[in-house]
Amino acid sequence: MDRSIIAVPPDGRQADFGPDFGQRSLLTVDTEEEFDWDAPFTRDRHSLNHVPDIAHFQQFCEKRGVVPLYLVDWPIVQSPAAVEILGSAVRNGQAEVGIHLHPWVNPSFEEEVNARNSYAGNLPPQLEREKFLLLRDAIAEKFGSEPLIYRAGRYGAGAATADLLRETGILIDTSVRANFDYRADDGPNYANHPLSPYWMDSERRLLELPLTTVYWGLLRKQGRALNPILDRIPHGRGVFSRLNLLEKIALTPEGVSVEEALRGIDIAIDDGLPLLVMSFHSPSLAIGHTPYVRNQADREKFYEWLDRVYAYLANRKVLPTSVAQIVQAVGLR
């Protein structure tokens, strides 16, 4: 369990970024195919119509000095258009790519397609490894460099994932979505994992960058104890939020208002988190592919969220960072 992503790490594993790092933000994009989130998983019922919209988003980031991390999966890396758009930015040092494994659309195709097996960490370790290596090698070939960072699709790391990453030269994992519990769907439980980046192993060869989700409100210090209770009370979460007692805020433009996000940023900064990890799914860059961007007004709000968040981070002296800078700051290379 010393190297298990799904286990809460022991004390003393917090990463030290050095005195010059300060507090930074990292923007991660789960760069993936479009599919119906409410339908059963399938091998073939997906599309890539949003890929041209990634170019506009990349331009948005470049104007603000943000180097986005595109965590790409198998359909994306097999798309010449996606490789062209992302590859140009990566070669220019204006974007980075990492690994994002959706096992149901990633060969080898041996397992039954179902919700449990959509979490790669639930697969037999050898099959998880085969899928991972095929994707890693395809990314290295298409983009001309070895990827250094991984996020399991649906945050679905497993007991064998950390050893797989270490053995294959991955330096950073970002599969942990702190303060979330996916056990009801046969997924992992990250409800008690740290928010601050930490070492996965005592040898300090694999760094974990948890996605940033904080508790806000008068009872936020009791958030981890109260959250599972509120899940069992009809409308409990909404009532506590309206009364400013407790609210769980993930740093994402998907389903989180900008006002909520700014409150969450304040909490994260005031709690001294060295790194704020934000995320969203690439199909949200176009209209009609996710529940969060259904029309042009939603799309405008999506970009407004990013614009206001980055303006606020700049005001709070939180600079954007990159995987390359993080690797250097913690001394991984």
Side-chain angles (χ1 to χ4, degrees):
M1 298 299 287
D2 180 58
R3 295 192 293 265
S4 174
I5 292 172
I6 57 177
V8 177
D11 293 337
R13 291 280 182 85
Q14 183 169 331
D16 182 1
F17 288 80
D20 298 328
F21 192 81
Q23 291 179 293
R24 307 281 184 100
S25 68
L26 180 69
L27 181 58
T28 68
V29 186
D30 291 358
T31 313
E32 60 191 43
E33 72 284 359
E34 305 135 15
F35 60 96
D36 186 346
W37 289 11
D38 295 323
F41 293 95
T42 71
R43 300 270 193 223
D44 54 4
R45 271 176 266 166
H46 59 264
S47 56
L48 293 169
N49 295 323
H50 77 284
V51 163
D53 292 89
I54 296 175
H56 174 71
F57 168 73
Q58 179 61 34
Q59 293 173 354
F60 173 92
C61 290
E62 291 174 14
K63 290 179 181 178
R64 288 154 183 81
V66 175
V67 177
L69 168 62
Y70 296 102
L71 296 149
V72 301
D73 75 352
W74 185 263
I76 289 290
V77 83
Q78 298 304 313
S79 163
V83 171
E84 180 180 0
I85 292 169
L86 299 177
S88 175
V90 170
R91 288 190 297 273
N92 294 332
Q94 295 170 315
E96 297 174 311
V97 290
I99 304 169
H100 188 56
L101 178 56
H102 276 187
W104 62 95
V105 291
N106 196 123
S108 300
F109 296 131
E110 300 178 16
E111 79 284 8
E112 179 183 351
V113 178
N114 56 37
R116 176 178 173 78
N117 288 338
S118 68
Y119 297 102
N122 286 340
L123 299 175
Q126 184 57 35
L127 182 56
E128 180 186 15
R129 175 181 292 270
E130 288 178 10
K131 289 175 179 286
F132 174 87
L133 289 176
L134 284 169
L135 179 55
R136 183 204 63 175
D137 292 348
I139 293 171
E141 177 186 355
K142 299 290 187 181
F143 294 101
S145 62
E146 296 285 342
L148 303 178
I149 186 168
Y150 173 70
R151 174 176 295 155
R154 308 193 73 207
Y155 319 106
T161 306
D163 282 340
L164 168 62
L165 299 183
R166 281 167 47 102
E167 293 165 11
T168 54
I170 302 301
L171 302 181
I172 302 174
D173 179 72
T174 180
S175 301
V176 171
R177 197 178 191 200
N179 289 328
F180 280 84
D181 183 354
Y182 296 100
R183 286 178 295 179
D185 195 36
D186 289 326
N189 175 21
Y190 300 127
N192 295 305
H193 283 58
L195 283 174
S196 189
Y198 58 90
W199 295 105
M200 192 65 61
D201 52 350
S202 56
E203 299 88 353
R204 301 192 173 193
R205 288 173 47 199
L206 182 62
L207 180 69
E208 180 63 46
L209 303 182
L211 286 84
T212 303
T213 299
V214 300
Y215 288 109
W216 176 89
L218 295 174
L219 299 177
R220 76 178 193 89
K221 295 294 186 181
Q222 291 77 45
R224 288 191 164 180
L226 290 172
N227 187 60
I229 298 173
L230 294 180
D231 282 339
R232 297 192 294 268
I233 301 175
H235 311 296
R237 192 179 298 281
V239 171
F240 269 57
S241 176
R242 287 192 296 274
L243 294 175
N244 294 333
L245 294 175
L246 186 66
E247 183 177 9
K248 187 166 71 172
I249 302 174
L251 293 191
T252 174
E254 295 177 325
V256 176
S257 73
V258 69
E259 291 78 16
E260 290 168 334
L262 299 186
R263 294 200 299 269
I265 287 170
D266 280 339
I267 292 293
I269 294 173
D270 294 346
D271 282 352
L273 289 185
L275 185 68
L276 281 62
V277 181
M278 302 183 289
S279 69
F280 67 88
H281 301 83
S282 64
S284 288
L285 293 172
I287 295 170
H289 301 305
T290 71
Y292 311 109
V293 180
R294 290 301 189 190
N295 51 49
Q296 182 59 29
D298 286 345
R299 189 170 186 267
E300 291 172 0
K301 285 183 179 179
F302 188 93
Y303 275 98
E304 180 188 2
W305 189 101
L306 291 167
D307 213 16
R308 288 183 60 185
V309 160
Y310 274 106
Y312 193 72
L313 287 170
N315 185 59
R316 295 287 321 251
K317 312 300 182 188
V318 177
L319 300 175
T321 193
S322 65
V323 171
Q325 290 174 338
I326 291 169
V327 167
Q328 183 177 16
V330 299
L332 272 167
R333 283 196 174 175

